[in-house]
Amino acid sequence: MSSSAPGTSSTPIGVSRVEELNDVDEVELDDDNAGDNANVEGNEPPKEVEVENPFQTSKRPRRSKVWDDYLEPELIKGKWKVRCKYCNSPLSLLASKSTSHLGRHQDTCIKKAAHLRQQKMINFLPSNSSTGGNKSEFVPALHDGKLDMLKVREGIAHWITMHEHPFTTVEEEGFNLMMKRGIPRWTSVSRHTIRLDSFKVFEFEKKKLKSLLKKVDRISLTTNLWWSKPQKIEYMVLTAHFVDMDWKLQKRVLNFVHLPPPREGANIADSILRCLREWEIEDKVSLICFF
């Protein structure tokens, strides 16, 4: 019969303490391994293996502008594809890294074209609407915040001409107070300056209209005569009617001519001929109608 005293080890004779500790460690390691095996053999699903995207680990950044219209590549049914930002259509990525098919989709994407048209509409009125072209330059609604007094004066000249305001309007105290509230850096201008600006706007618009008329093959004219009571001056107005390059009917006033009495047929014909030569359209007139 063997007995062990308190505080003494129960290790059998011939087994050292170090070996006992080693046995304990081996048992704990076996228990851990057994737990791992139980997780593998059990009903728990295995951890998903993250699939590396070969198109995101490129050493060089994408330089082609074609990637601006596409989302990041994604794995769809085992194949790497990219989706269009506008129509969400998936397009395959080629092993050759070619982007020609992506560029072709950019050119034919209907939703992208509609988006670009909508962006162009976020503007104010076209600055050259008098030309009647479909490629009118727009005044952007957003700008860099810098004050351009020449642009402001041009806008005032358009405003005065369109609504027939007197040039002295720009010298009124209320007008300058309004402009100062809206534009703190506003500096007042004289009626003489705005008068010169209005004539510059007129000449510029005249050149654009003349350039447009050069692209037209046939032009019809209407004319009318009247007498201005306040000014006591006789006028003749000459208006051109034509179809532009977009097959839209356009109407433009060409001239206001002072035609004093007697307003005979020969005088009217000479005035019209001078106007046509000024606009260089004397060989394009197909019809003249008098009212």
Side-chain angles (χ1 to χ4, degrees):
M1 182 176 67
S2 63
S3 61
S4 60
T8 60
S9 174
S10 60
T11 303
I13 299 174
V15 180
S16 65
R17 183 62 177 170
V18 177
E19 293 176 352
E20 180 183 3
L21 295 176
N22 291 336
D23 293 338
V24 173
D25 293 339
E26 291 177 0
V27 172
E28 292 176 353
L29 292 174
D30 292 338
D31 292 340
D32 294 339
N33 294 334
D36 294 340
N37 294 333
N39 292 336
V40 175
E41 296 176 357
N43 296 327
E44 296 184 6
K47 296 182 180 179
E48 295 183 359
V49 179
E50 184 178 355
V51 180
E52 185 179 0
N53 187 347
F55 298 95
Q56 291 180 339
T57 59
S58 177
K59 295 181 180 179
R60 294 183 301 174
R62 299 170 183 163
R63 297 181 179 178
S64 177
K65 293 293 184 181
V66 72
W67 294 108
D68 295 341
D69 292 340
Y70 294 94
L71 301 174
E72 290 296 326
E74 57 181 318
L75 195 63
I76 302 177
K77 296 182 180 181
K79 295 183 179 180
W80 286 105
K81 297 185 178 182
V82 289
R83 292 186 180 273
C84 177
K85 291 182 178 180
Y86 303 99
C87 63
N88 203 35
S89 300
L91 285 85
S92 300
L93 291 176
L94 306 180
S96 61
K97 304 297 180 66
S98 175
T99 58
S100 300
H101 62 298
L102 302 180
R104 288 192 295 269
H105 178 78
Q106 277 184 319
D107 299 334
T108 58
C109 183
I110 299 177
K111 291 190 176 181
K112 178 185 177 180
H115 175 77
L116 295 178
R117 286 195 299 268
Q118 183 179 4
Q119 291 296 316
K120 290 181 179 180
M121 293 300 294
I122 306 178
N123 292 284
F124 295 130
L125 294 176
S127 60
N128 61 346
S129 57
S130 61
T131 60
N134 62 334
K135 297 181 180 180
S136 300
E137 296 178 0
F138 285 85
V139 180
L142 300 178
H143 54 82
D144 55 6
K146 296 181 180 179
L147 176 62
D148 190 346
M149 279 298 298
L150 293 178
K151 290 292 183 181
V152 176
R153 283 165 45 186
E154 180 185 0
I156 294 175
H158 276 282
W159 168 64
I160 288 179
T161 306
M162 291 170 60
H163 301 285
E164 301 180 359
H165 293 300
F167 296 124
T168 55
T169 303
V170 298
E171 296 181 347
E172 294 177 355
E173 182 180 358
F175 175 82
N176 285 278
L177 177 62
M178 176 188 65
M179 296 300 293
K180 198 69 176 179
R181 293 282 179 87
I183 309 175
R185 296 176 57 190
W186 162 259
T187 55
S188 59
V189 294
S190 66
R191 63 182 184 274
H192 303 290
T193 301
I194 291 299
R195 180 179 178 274
L196 295 176
D197 292 340
S198 299
F199 277 102
K200 290 179 181 178
V201 169
F202 169 77
E203 294 295 335
F204 179 68
E205 295 294 334
K206 184 177 180 179
K207 290 180 180 179
K208 290 195 297 184
L209 181 55
K210 183 178 289 188
S211 176
L212 177 63
L213 293 177
K214 289 182 179 180
K215 303 176 183 179
V216 180
D217 296 330
R218 292 289 182 268
I219 300 175
S220 299
L221 300 176
T222 58
T223 183
N224 195 5
L225 303 174
W226 78 89
W227 177 58
S228 175
K229 292 182 179 180
Q231 297 176 326
K232 298 181 180 181
I233 299 176
E234 295 79 4
Y235 284 100
M236 181 186 72
V237 61
L238 188 65
T239 307
H241 306 263
F242 57 93
V243 178
D244 61 10
M245 302 300 293
D246 298 324
W247 289 93
K248 293 182 180 180
L249 181 61
Q250 301 292 338
K251 175 184 176 182
R252 298 290 184 270
V253 175
L254 299 181
N255 293 91
F256 280 95
V257 182
H258 174 49
L259 191 63
R263 293 176 290 181
E264 298 178 353
N267 297 333
I268 296 175
D270 290 340
S271 298
I272 294 177
L273 183 59
R274 285 196 299 268
C275 294
L276 298 180
R277 289 175 176 173
E278 179 184 358
W279 289 96
E280 300 177 359
I281 57 173
E282 61 271 17
D283 57 342
K284 298 183 179 182
V285 177
S286 59
L287 176 67
I288 301 178
C289 184
F290 293 87
F291 292 96

